[in-house]
Amino acid sequence: MAHLDYDFSEFDTGSKLRVTFISKTTGQKLVPFNGVYNATLLVKPAGGVVTARAMSVLSGVDDGSAEYQFTAGETLEGDLQTQAIATRISNGDIVSELGVKVWKVGPKLV
């Protein structure tokens, strides 16, 4: 039997995705991030539609990063697609838009 690797399990509600935003010009984290930028995660579950979700912007030693905790309806078996976007609070300009990431969601073992 083949060994399969999955990133998440179906209907999992505890899984979090953490994204660190890097400046293309400096190669360093976008800091300060907290209070300067908002982070959004576009989420497309298997067979579903794209939904924009607010990410929690982190601070302190995690400044430059944001995270999102998936809901059970987002972790459906198959391909889960995400795309993270950082937006400058002062004028709404998109300053960073990461490529689409495809995650593998496996079945819940029964």
Side-chain angles (χ1 to χ4, degrees):
M1 185 168 161
H3 176 77
L4 302 174
D5 288 325
Y6 295 106
D7 301 298
F8 303 106
S9 293
E10 186 173 35
F11 306 123
D12 183 11
T13 58
S15 293
K16 288 184 180 182
L17 178 65
R18 181 177 287 192
V19 176
T20 299
F21 292 91
I22 305 295
S23 169
K24 188 174 183 178
T25 55
T26 67
Q28 302 295 314
K29 290 195 293 185
L30 280 178
V31 291
F33 195 91
N34 191 15
V36 180
Y37 302 99
N38 284 326
T40 303
L41 187 68
L42 301 179
V43 179
K44 184 178 181 191
V49 297
V50 176
T51 305
R53 303 289 192 198
M55 298 182 79
S56 298
V57 174
L58 305 176
S59 59
V61 296
D62 294 320
D63 194 9
S65 299
E67 67 182 18
Y68 176 74
Q69 186 167 335
F70 292 104
T71 66
E74 293 167 338
T75 52
L76 302 177
E77 185 177 357
D79 289 345
L80 168 64
Q81 298 177 53
T82 61
Q83 185 174 32
I85 301 169
T87 307
R88 187 173 292 115
I89 293 171
S90 63
N91 60 10
D93 284 350
I94 293 174
V95 296
S96 179
E97 188 167 16
L98 305 178
V100 175
K101 174 74 175 163
V102 179
W103 307 93
K104 298 296 183 187
V105 180
K108 187 175 256 339
L109 189 61
V110 290

